[in-house]
Amino acid sequence: LVGSPSARGCVMAASLLPTRRWALVMLSCVEVLTATGVMFGWSSLSIALRREGTYAELCDDDRSGCDAQALRLNAVYTAGAFCVPLGGMVWGPLMDVKGAKWTRAVGMCVFSAGCLLFAFADSKTFDAYVPAACLVSIGGMANFLSHFVLAEYFADDHFGLVHSLINCSFDASTVTFTMLELIHREGASTQSLFLAMAALGLAYLALTNETVWAGHLSPPAKKLTSSAEGEGNEDGFGAKSPQYGARLDESGKPFRRQVESRAFIALAVWGLFTVYRTMLVLGSVTEQMLYNADGRDASHAERLVRVFNFLILISVALTPSFGRFIDTHGMAAGLVLVNALGVSTFGLLVTRPDWSLYVAFLAFGCFRAWNYSLMTAYSMGVFGGASFGKVYGIGVGTVSCLAAAAQYPTMAIVLGGSKPNFEGLNWAMLGVGVVMFGFPVFVHSRTVEGKKGGAAAAAAAANAA
């Protein structure tokens, strides 16, 4: 196998200069920013589609702005948003079998096909918006997952940082449709914009080669350094020891035993309730601003929503600093910080003053972006790179689909009352957050036990020698 492409890639990767390796991280960020979670910027794209009269024929006298048009456009977004975690469930297991290079290449083909379908869709003659949104989301998710193999090359120093950079680029990908809407406002058609997006996807497909990636589309042949000495931060999740200790190491087990482990069950429960709370805020912020704290007028609520959208983007820019926090202080500390931000968010959303809501918006943005960084780092670190696709794609993907499915019934229950109000629900979510502090306690206790066991084994070996 010495002369095989994968072997040559490993040799190239091992000899790559750190500057070139960081350049690949930056390329990953650009690709994730422009061709992964773009559907979450739908609110901006829908403005452009309304401007072109998409689904305006559903309104009386062909006028725009009616409920039927809004519902049909929302159906396109719902399909696209649901297909993001669904794509993770599909691509995750395939990536573990076929590899990141194959997943990335096929994903870019699917993404470009979705963009082409968007470009030629027409609500009157060729209503292909729903399948187009699904293809864009599914293809984008393949592109997203394929980049995490790069983090394995930073396992001994910047593991958390690289995970955070990739995740914050995914969170910031909402800005892609915002930029398209601004260009559309200057006169470009949605067809030309999506043709350009399709061409961008094909350009990323052309970059899927060893000349560009120098072996980094495959995992390292072996760990760069050993963590058997137990070096690192307090709980073993950091710059010196990313292998988390023997009590929190499921990497050598078959996938079935991994999903039966306490480490996986804890991740699934954490993912279900954090993703549910994230989607709840994103889907209800307008209504919450209207009805919470004895109600507000529509113009005040709209202004608060604009501030919300701005502040959550600022929080994305802070995500790399959180990656360094994980590397320095450990995973358990990161989980405590993120969960505290989630609890604060729901406690502050029920308040009246604008300044306290601004704090809530910023706390939520950090909670949302940083939580995904934690989940990808935990999935790869505990279960290993070989099982990352299945663990994250199936595990987190499944609970994300459940969380998405629960959004409509939640909104129907809250808004179906005679006096809609989210305050009771927010207090319930705050209580759920308090219970979720059990996860960092679990992580900390397991890693401390692992360190003690490793120290005892090392002492026994020394005595025997």
Side-chain angles (χ1 to χ4, degrees):
L1 295 176
V2 173
S4 67
S6 60
R8 290 194 299 271
C10 290
V11 172
M12 294 172 65
S15 61
L16 203 64
L17 293 174
T19 303
R20 174 73 183 281
R21 189 167 283 155
W22 278 109
L24 292 178
V25 173
M26 294 302 101
L27 175 59
S28 292
C29 290
V30 172
E31 292 187 354
V32 172
L33 178 69
T34 53
T36 57
V38 295
M39 284 303 300
F40 290 116
W42 176 258
S43 58
S44 295
L45 180 63
S46 66
I47 295 173
L49 292 174
R50 285 188 176 96
R51 195 180 289 142
E52 290 189 349
T54 303
Y55 294 124
E57 66 275 7
L58 300 177
C59 303
D60 296 336
D61 301 323
D62 203 38
R63 62 182 179 84
S64 62
C66 66
D67 291 342
Q69 181 192 35
L71 287 172
R72 187 64 67 87
L73 288 170
N74 183 261
V76 178
Y77 165 72
T78 299
F82 183 81
C83 284
V84 172
L86 182 64
M89 296 172 64
V90 173
W91 296 115
L94 284 174
M95 186 174 73
D96 289 341
V97 175
K98 297 289 189 178
K101 183 177 181 179
W102 181 90
T103 303
R104 166 193 167 93
V106 177
M108 283 296 88
C109 292
V110 174
F111 178 85
S112 295
C115 290
L116 288 174
L117 207 54
F118 248 120
F120 294 104
D122 182 273
S123 60
K124 294 179 181 178
T125 60
F126 183 53
D127 189 358
Y129 290 107
V130 167
C134 290
L135 290 176
V136 167
S137 293
I138 292 173
M141 196 61 184
N143 186 32
F144 174 60
L145 290 176
S146 69
H147 285 86
F148 284 104
V149 67
L150 188 58
E152 296 188 62
Y153 288 90
F154 296 85
D156 292 326
D157 45 14
H158 302 296
F159 186 71
L161 175 59
V162 174
H163 272 272
S164 294
L165 286 169
I166 296 172
N167 276 284
C168 82
S169 300
F170 180 84
D171 289 326
S173 63
T174 57
V175 77
T176 300
F177 278 174
T178 301
M179 297 304 299
L180 293 188
E181 191 276 325
L182 291 175
I183 298 172
H184 184 270
R185 189 183 302 174
E186 297 301 318
S189 66
T190 55
Q191 182 179 78
S192 62
L193 293 173
F194 274 102
L195 287 174
M197 288 288 290
L200 184 65
L202 294 176
Y204 292 155
L205 175 64
L207 292 177
T208 308
N209 59 73
E210 296 300 342
T211 302
V212 174
W213 288 92
H216 285 71
L217 293 176
S218 300
K222 60 181 179 179
K223 295 174 184 176
L224 301 180
T225 61
S226 174
S227 60
E229 301 298 325
E231 297 176 354
N233 54 51
E234 179 184 355
D235 56 15
F237 277 81
K240 299 287 185 180
S241 177
Q243 295 305 312
Y244 311 172
R247 291 287 289 160
L248 201 59
D249 183 11
E250 306 290 337
S251 60
K253 299 178 181 179
F255 177 65
R256 181 173 179 178
R257 289 189 61 192
Q258 287 179 331
V259 298
E260 294 173 348
S261 68
R262 292 182 181 179
F264 181 87
I265 294 171
L267 172 65
V269 173
W270 169 271
L272 176 63
F273 288 105
T274 55
V275 173
Y276 173 81
R277 287 182 289 165
T278 298
M279 291 185 175
L280 175 64
V281 174
L282 290 173
S284 68
V285 63
T286 301
E287 290 78 10
Q288 294 220 36
M289 295 304 99
L290 280 170
Y291 299 125
N292 286 356
D294 298 324
R296 300 176 179 87
D297 61 66
S299 61
H300 188 188
E302 290 176 3
R303 179 172 62 81
L304 289 172
V305 172
R306 285 195 293 271
V307 174
F308 170 82
N309 289 325
F310 173 73
L311 288 179
I312 62 173
L313 283 178
I314 289 181
S315 65
V316 168
L318 300 174
T319 301
S321 298
F322 178 70
R324 292 303 302 155
F325 180 87
I326 299 174
D327 289 333
T328 303
H329 300 287
M331 177 61 74
L335 290 167
V336 169
L337 175 58
V338 164
N339 202 48
L341 289 168
V343 169
S344 301
T345 297
F346 287 96
L348 291 170
L349 280 176
V350 300
T351 59
R352 181 72 185 179
D354 285 4
W355 68 265
S356 61
L357 292 172
Y358 298 161
V359 175
F361 299 160
L362 187 58
F364 169 75
C366 294
F367 167 74
R368 171 193 176 224
W370 299 356
N371 181 52
Y372 286 105
S373 299
L374 288 170
M375 289 195 292
T376 58
Y378 180 92
S379 298
M380 181 173 284
V382 173
F383 302 98
S387 297
F388 171 74
K390 291 191 288 290
V391 169
Y392 190 78
I394 295 178
V396 177
T398 299
V399 298
S400 296
C401 287
L402 292 174
Q407 297 305 306
Y408 181 80
T410 300
M411 293 292 288
I413 291 171
V414 175
L415 298 178
S418 57
K419 293 182 178 180
N421 192 294
F422 287 83
E423 293 183 8
L425 180 60
N426 286 340
W427 286 118
M429 293 300 100
L430 187 152
V432 169
V434 171
V435 175
M436 288 297 102
F437 278 111
F439 186 39
V441 171
F442 166 80
V443 170
H444 177 72
S445 64
R446 280 297 180 107
T447 49
V448 169
E449 290 173 11
K451 288 178 67 176
K452 289 181 178 178
N463 291 333

